[in-house]
Amino acid sequence: SDLVITDQKNRFLGSFILELGKSEQEEAFLFTSLVNEKSSMKYLIPTLAPVPTWMSPSFQDADWRSIIPAEDVKVSGGLTTVYFRKHLTITPGSTRFLIISVLVQEGLIVYFQGSELGRVNLPSGTIYHSTTATHRFEEARWLSYTTMAPSDLAELVVSAELHREHIVSSGIVKFDVFVTCSVSASLFCAFNPVIDASNHTTQIDHLP
């Protein structure tokens, strides 16, 4: 069976295969957090969709507002989507695998280096600025995605677009991201790549 390792906030850190017939097993693994709990991220609440390259690492977000992760963001009535960008720095070649954990309650698409990692509470296919969430969790929860780290890049960007379910009135949204890294694929190879929650399924990338 799988031995899943989480932190005190229930964020996924890694997993191992528990050997058949054993009730206990000792494992050691090294990982590094790339995100300071109080480090800021950029966000934007536009009336119209931003340029299509807003999630790209090369996009200039100097004019976006800054916010501490998990801080309340007030969204006016009639507005659907809030966009977030989080910059990370690693030493090229020092990291092979990343675990990107995001705090979500309504609709969310997560991007890494401009490519979609996954989505939750949103339909498949093309998502527009005006697309509303199909579902809302009773409470915010952490979802985790695993991916390979670029071997030749030091500056990385995790981006996300958060879609509200009900937009007639104003509301408060929250977003947080936590990233850990490791040089070992064994942290992920045993982890069940599917998380079930209420009426949806979120797929997590499964590393070879």
Side-chain angles (χ1 to χ4, degrees):
S1 61
D2 292 356
L3 176 63
V4 178
I5 312 299
T6 61
D7 66 6
Q8 70 275 13
K9 292 187 177 181
N10 204 33
R11 296 177 296 208
F12 173 68
L13 295 179
S15 67
F16 298 92
I17 294 178
L18 187 63
E19 295 180 17
L20 187 64
K22 281 191 173 182
S23 59
E24 295 183 1
Q25 185 169 317
E26 183 175 327
E27 296 280 359
F29 64 91
L30 298 176
F31 68 91
T32 302
S33 171
L34 297 181
V35 176
N36 185 304
E37 296 277 356
K38 296 300 181 181
S39 62
S40 64
M41 68 174 72
K42 296 286 190 172
Y43 80 101
L44 181 71
I45 311 176
T47 55
L48 299 175
V51 297
T53 57
W54 70 269
M55 76 286 287
S56 169
S58 60
F59 176 76
Q60 298 299 311
D61 57 17
D63 59 342
W64 287 31
R65 294 181 179 181
S66 295
I67 190 174
I68 300 298
E71 211 169 59
D72 289 348
V73 176
K74 185 175 182 179
V75 184
S76 300
L79 298 180
T80 306
T81 308
V82 185
Y83 301 85
F84 297 89
R85 288 172 55 86
K86 178 65 182 178
H87 294 263
L88 310 170
T89 302
I90 64 173
T91 302
S94 65
T95 299
R96 292 184 59 197
F97 307 100
L98 299 176
I99 307 173
I100 300 175
S101 299
V102 291
L103 185 68
V104 57
Q105 186 167 11
E106 298 183 82
L108 190 75
I109 301 180
V110 185
Y111 304 89
F112 176 65
Q113 296 300 89
S115 298
E116 182 177 334
L117 272 183
R119 64 179 67 186
V120 63
N121 296 338
L122 285 170
S124 58
T126 303
I127 298 297
Y128 300 97
H129 175 69
S130 59
T131 302
T132 55
T134 57
H135 180 68
R136 173 189 172 95
F137 299 135
E138 291 186 8
E139 296 182 356
R141 62 182 65 179
W142 287 95
L143 298 180
S144 298
Y145 301 87
T146 56
T147 188
M148 301 287 290
S151 60
D152 57 344
L153 296 176
E155 299 297 326
L156 309 177
V157 175
V158 176
S159 308
E161 53 183 282
L162 189 157
H163 294 252
R164 296 203 297 155
E165 182 183 21
H166 303 296
I167 66 171
V168 175
S169 59
S170 62
I172 299 296
V173 301
K174 289 185 179 182
F175 176 71
D176 197 356
V177 59
F178 185 74
V179 183
T180 55
C181 61
S182 172
V183 296
S184 173
S186 64
L187 283 179
F188 316 121
C189 63
F191 183 58
N192 182 352
V194 176
I195 291 180
D196 292 311
S198 65
N199 64 352
H200 76 279
T201 300
T202 300
Q203 185 72 30
I204 295 178
D205 292 341
H206 192 64
L207 298 179

